[in-house]
Amino acid sequence: MNLQERDKVYCLAKTQSFSYRSNAEPNAFSQLFAKEKGRD
Amino acid sequence: MLLEMNVTLRRGNFRLTTDLSVQDESMGLIGRSGAGKSTVLGLLAGTLMPESGRIALDGKILFDNGKGIIVPREQRPIGSVLQYDQLPSGETVQDGLFASYERTLKQRRTLKPDRLIEFLDIGPLLTQPMGHLSTCERQRVLLAKALLKSPKLLLLDDPLATMGHFAHSVAPLLKRVQSELDLPLFYASHTLGNIVEFSDKAAVLDEGRIVRIGLINDLLQDPDLIQKIGLSQIENRMPALIVSHNTDNGCTLAQSYGIELVLPLRCDLPLGSWVTVGIPANDIALSRNYIYGISIQNQINGEICALIPRETGVLVQIDCGNVWLAGVTLKAL
């Protein structure tokens, strides 16, 4: 392909084996901590 | 948290020398198999004994051969989940967990055990002997034990790699604990995706020495270092908003940095929720043109920023709005 920096390309992404993780909501894991920040 | 580690260890032909000083920082440990990642964690945790040197945490000496000080593992303010950890086989999970908790001073306890047990889905295992646990169960119990110690430093030898589907829920839990408690974490792995969950900085080990410490993005720019890193898989990680599920064509649509991603159907991901999507660099091919009549649904245009030689080919860095990495062979280049 003779690829060089600054060349324009298309990324062809296969996603059959993609992984994912749910991002924690701010209120997730409530009641886990003995003291939560700002709640002394 | 100030960690100072200046030790040597020789085992057969392997010699490890560290000179490390870390303050309040999480860090990844990367390097080929046998480079010394697990050994560093074992020396810090107290499961391995250095030949000489000194380890101190917040000024408290954990090991000093000159002064004859060796603080045993259970008395170190360090939690750890190591690859070859032995659990007392006759002890039940409940006894093991609460022994960790009870040993911690009441005023230092940071987590509520019942909630941690619930989040790690350990409840059904509480009456089981430790020796009867599967690898995945064992890793979750070890993690709970480590956290119930309310440590000043958490050492993880890639437990997410053996947790199967639990990794989806354990990674956010760890991130929340890390941020809520300002808990520094050392994470050793061959998978960059697991490291960058917790730190943007890493130490590179090679033949028993720390050869570089720096931002992961900077380390990946150094072709010589890439040879030493020995990562089995480089994964693109991107935040994505779940937009829709189409059961007719079996796809979930997500948006990431303005790019529409077509993913295999995952109805378990709530619409409007944010997830971190991981796509291995080796699952991305490059084309100079848009291709019609191809089964691949994601064709994202971008501009090449850098070509990074690797042992097995080239890692191409592409700016698509955010940076993507594609692994290609030298022949394809």
Side-chain angles (χ1 to χ4, degrees):
Chain A
M1 289 176 76
N2 193 27
L3 292 174
Q4 307 286 333
E5 287 183 18
R6 301 199 168 183
D7 282 359
K8 308 282 186 195
V9 290
Y10 282 87
C11 295
L12 279 57
K14 279 181 69 179
T15 52
Q16 283 300 325
S17 58
F18 87 106
S19 64
Y20 63 92
R21 286 197 183 130
S22 301
N23 291 343
E25 300 292 329
N27 60 352
F29 311 115
S30 61
Q31 306 293 312
L32 173 62
F33 301 97
K35 284 181 191 173
E36 301 210 7
K37 276 182 182 170
R39 289 196 202 168
D40 266 346
Chain B
M1 186 276 308
L2 173 63
L3 173 72
E4 297 159 283
M5 183 189 196
N6 190 331
V7 295
T8 61
L9 171 77
R10 187 192 294 272
R11 283 194 301 185
N13 292 329
F14 177 75
R15 184 177 172 80
L16 181 122
T17 309
T18 65
D19 186 2
L20 184 66
S21 177
V22 180
Q23 184 152 23
D24 296 327
E25 278 185 307
S26 291
M27 189 176 291
L29 297 180
I30 49 183
R32 295 172 195 280
S33 289
K37 305 183 295 295
S38 299
T39 305
V40 167
L41 296 185
L43 290 166
L44 288 170
T47 57
L48 293 173
M49 187 80 69
E51 260 179 14
S52 63
R54 180 177 179 274
I55 301 172
L57 187 66
D58 289 339
K60 183 186 175 187
I61 297 172
L62 304 179
F63 175 86
D64 190 326
N65 74 311
K67 293 181 178 169
I69 298 173
I70 304 167
V71 176
R73 178 183 192 179
E74 58 274 14
Q75 290 175 23
R76 295 187 183 196
I78 293 175
S80 53
V81 182
L82 307 178
Q83 289 289 333
Y84 302 106
D85 252 338
Q86 297 294 319
L87 286 167
S89 57
E91 194 176 59
T92 65
V93 169
Q94 178 158 325
D95 289 345
L97 291 182
F98 282 91
S100 276
Y101 189 65
E102 296 295 336
R103 267 197 294 266
T104 306
L105 291 174
K106 273 187 182 170
Q107 61 269 28
R108 288 209 58 242
R109 292 174 187 166
T110 51
L111 298 173
K112 295 178 184 168
D114 53 337
R115 297 294 283 162
L116 186 63
I117 286 165
E118 183 186 333
F119 286 130
L120 289 172
D121 199 17
I122 290 172
L125 309 174
L126 287 175
T127 55
Q128 286 195 33
M130 296 273 203
H132 290 187
L133 301 176
S134 70
T135 303
C136 171
E137 291 167 346
R138 184 173 153 275
Q139 295 294 81
R140 276 151 44 220
V141 170
L142 282 169
L143 180 60
K145 262 174 83 73
L147 291 173
L148 287 177
K149 206 175 171 183
S150 300
K152 290 183 176 179
L153 172 66
L154 184 63
L155 311 175
L156 300 175
D157 203 348
D158 210 358
L160 294 179
T162 48
M163 280 191 186
H165 71 279
F166 281 101
H168 296 312
S169 53
V170 172
L173 169 72
L174 275 171
K175 281 159 75 171
R176 180 71 200 276
V177 169
Q178 185 188 22
S179 65
E180 183 74 30
L181 303 178
D182 295 323
L183 176 63
L185 191 152
F186 285 8
Y187 198 105
S189 180
H190 288 283
T191 307
L192 200 56
N194 286 346
I195 291 174
V196 297
E197 292 270 3
F198 308 107
S199 176
D200 53 7
K201 201 170 177 182
V204 181
L205 282 107
D206 186 41
E207 297 181 348
R209 301 184 75 90
I210 295 172
V211 292
R212 272 276 291 279
I213 296 177
L215 293 172
I216 291 169
N217 282 345
D218 292 343
L219 298 177
L220 288 175
Q221 306 289 328
D222 183 337
D224 291 336
L225 208 60
I226 295 252
Q227 303 286 328
K228 292 189 168 88
I229 285 177
L231 293 166
S232 58
Q233 181 170 289
I234 293 180
E235 199 171 53
N236 294 280
R237 292 261 162 169
M238 56 201 87
L241 177 69
I242 301 300
V243 175
S244 65
H245 300 302
N246 189 328
T247 50
D248 292 340
N249 62 22
C251 288
T252 289
L253 294 184
Q255 289 272 353
S256 177
Y257 295 102
I259 296 166
E260 182 177 86
L261 287 174
V262 183
L263 304 170
L265 190 63
R266 291 286 186 276
C267 286
D268 55 316
L269 297 174
L271 295 179
S273 68
W274 283 90
V275 298
T276 300
V277 169
I279 302 174
N282 289 345
D283 281 359
I284 297 177
L286 299 176
S287 166
R288 287 197 180 276
N289 304 301
Y290 189 94
I291 301 176
Y292 293 93
I294 187 170
S295 63
I296 294 176
Q297 296 297 300
N298 298 289
Q299 298 195 45
I300 294 118
N301 60 337
E303 183 178 296
I304 294 177
C305 319
L307 302 163
I308 305 165
R310 298 172 76 190
E311 207 167 41
T312 53
V314 177
L315 203 57
V316 184
Q317 201 177 52
I318 308 119
D319 182 357
C320 299
N322 66 322
V323 173
W324 286 45
L325 292 167
V328 302
T329 62
L330 280 172
K331 188 171 190 296
L333 190 70

